[in-house]
Amino acid sequence: MGRLSHSHPLPALGRVTRKGILLFFVFAGLIYFLKGLLQQKTSSENLSIHLPGQATGEEVEFSPNVTPWGAPIVWGDSPESQIRRQKFTNRAVTTGLAVFVIGTYAQYLHKFIISAEEYFLPEHFVTYYILTDNLRGIPAITLGSGREIKPFYIAERPDWVHLSKTRMSLLSSVIKELIQDEVDYIFSMDVDQVFVNPVGSEILGSLVATLHPEYYNQPLDTYPYERTEDSKAYVDGSEGDYYYTSELYGGSCPEVYKLALTCSQFIIQDMEISFHAFLFEESYLNRYLIQNRPTRLLSPEYNWLAAQKTSEEIQVKRILSLQR
């Protein structure tokens, strides 16, 4: 048996073994190289941020392109956004942009409109609805084709706290009385913001909210939800998905009307017990969006802080908040 097991010459067996070993290391090296490329690609596409509903503990990596309920999280340069923009190409879509310009906030209006003319829905029909206590303070600006300014006088006290109690009611009224008959989509923005990069039709959807730039990568238990149980803005500790900013939200006219009307009713009911939520209308907005989840979520690209210049995750800033 020993002679049979060694019936092949030993030198030939040695050559086969060396070739096998060489092929093994070649294939092993190739697999290692490809694995490294895959890991690099995955790490570039994933951000280490907290999943909705994760109160504490270790951070969980996931691709921040979709919510647990299937709504896209919008990044302006993503493939989904490119497809979305193509969908609206050559469509006669009309969009309204509503801003409240009260008291000293008039100083921001000129820069707001000039930047919007450059970057907000270029080549689309846009109407700027300016709700103001000073019609003469609206600057004369030459607008592009298919774009117009419509001012509305509102008799408001020139202080931000009072406006935070009435803005939702005013917005719901102007949508019902005028805007819903003129545009397909309506967005509400704070006027103390500026557009710095293109904001296109990737933002258009039925109900659109924007992730707050200070909480998008924080755990749920740090969100500043209203915790007073008597308030209509109250959020229980077991509730919540994301925390949204009130500086930019919108959608179709029927959906935004329903949002603004419901929030205004919440505010009025709280005022009847001499209470107003901790973070004003933003608290009521978040309460509403927990019960009525948005169909599109804008990433913090669309509401970044002007004072915060760098971020590993937010490489492109599209709208800057000047006062926060």
Side-chain angles (χ1 to χ4, degrees):
M1 292 292 292
R3 285 192 298 270
L4 287 173
S5 64
H6 294 91
S7 60
H8 298 289
L10 286 176
L13 180 61
R15 285 195 298 271
V16 172
T17 303
R18 284 195 295 271
K19 288 181 181 178
I21 293 172
L22 179 60
L23 287 172
F24 172 80
F25 279 108
V26 168
F27 281 114
L30 181 61
I31 292 171
Y32 181 83
F33 174 75
L34 293 174
K35 182 179 179 182
L37 285 179
L38 180 61
Q39 288 177 337
Q40 183 179 8
K41 183 177 185 295
T42 302
S43 64
S44 67
E45 293 178 347
N46 293 349
L47 300 182
S48 179
I49 60 181
H50 287 269
L51 288 169
Q54 178 187 356
T56 57
E58 295 182 357
E59 292 182 341
V60 179
E61 288 190 356
F62 77 114
S63 181
N65 299 319
V66 65
T67 68
W69 61 91
I73 299 176
V74 179
W75 304 84
D77 294 331
S78 71
E80 194 276 339
S81 290
Q82 294 173 16
I83 293 171
R84 188 71 172 174
R85 287 191 291 269
Q86 290 174 0
K87 178 181 177 180
F88 284 93
T89 301
N90 300 323
R91 287 179 57 183
V93 175
T94 56
T95 303
L97 191 54
V99 291
F100 289 81
V101 184
I102 304 298
T104 59
Y105 281 84
Q107 64 182 302
Y108 299 105
L109 182 58
H110 184 271
K111 192 172 185 178
F112 177 87
I113 295 177
I114 290 295
S115 67
E117 279 295 284
E118 183 174 2
Y119 293 117
F120 181 70
L121 292 173
E123 302 179 0
H124 283 249
F125 297 106
V126 173
T127 299
Y128 302 100
Y129 296 100
I130 312 299
L131 293 86
T132 181
D133 61 347
N134 181 14
L135 293 173
R136 288 181 292 184
I138 298 177
I141 299 175
T142 301
L143 304 179
S145 176
R147 302 167 82 95
E148 62 178 330
I149 292 176
K150 287 197 173 183
F152 292 90
Y153 177 76
I154 53 174
E156 286 295 313
R157 297 205 320 248
D159 67 90
W160 186 84
V161 174
H162 179 74
L163 179 62
S164 71
K165 299 178 181 180
T166 59
R167 182 156 58 176
M168 286 293 189
S169 177
L170 291 167
L171 180 61
S172 65
S173 294
V174 75
I175 291 174
K176 181 179 180 180
E177 295 172 8
L178 176 70
I179 292 176
Q180 67 177 354
D181 297 323
E182 296 188 342
V183 298
D184 302 304
Y185 298 94
I186 181 68
F187 286 83
S188 176
M189 290 186 65
D190 283 2
V191 72
D192 54 340
Q193 298 182 89
V194 61
F195 295 85
V196 293
N197 269 303
V199 174
S201 52
E202 73 274 5
I203 72 169
L204 300 179
S206 179
L207 182 59
V208 183
T210 306
L211 297 178
H212 197 292
E214 295 180 272
Y215 296 100
Y216 75 97
N217 59 354
Q218 299 301 312
L220 181 65
D221 61 359
T222 67
Y223 295 174
Y225 291 137
E226 178 57 54
R227 299 303 188 187
T228 304
E229 293 187 15
D230 291 337
S231 173
K232 289 297 180 180
Y234 171 66
V235 176
D236 183 81
S238 63
E239 295 182 290
D241 301 303
Y242 299 92
Y243 189 77
Y244 307 103
T245 177
S246 61
E247 293 194 351
L248 171 58
Y249 57 90
S252 68
C253 285
E255 286 295 332
V256 181
Y257 171 72
K258 185 168 66 173
L259 178 155
L261 179 64
T262 302
C263 289
S264 69
Q265 292 171 342
F266 286 163
I267 292 170
I268 291 171
Q269 291 176 66
D270 272 5
M271 290 175 65
E272 290 175 350
I273 61 171
S274 301
F275 183 83
H276 199 52
F278 172 60
L279 286 177
F280 306 102
E281 73 213 57
E282 191 168 274
S283 296
Y284 299 97
L285 175 69
N286 274 271
R287 173 67 268 174
Y288 181 87
L289 292 173
I290 289 173
Q291 296 173 274
N292 304 270
R293 286 169 164 167
T295 59
R296 294 184 76 77
L297 279 70
L298 305 185
S299 72
E301 289 182 348
Y302 298 87
N303 182 237
W304 197 244
L305 298 84
Q308 188 170 335
K309 301 299 183 183
T310 60
S311 167
E312 292 182 1
E313 298 131 338
I314 313 302
Q315 296 296 319
V316 179
K317 288 80 172 176
R318 301 184 184 278
I319 303 173
L320 295 181
S321 177
L322 302 177
Q323 283 236 113
R324 186 189 289 121

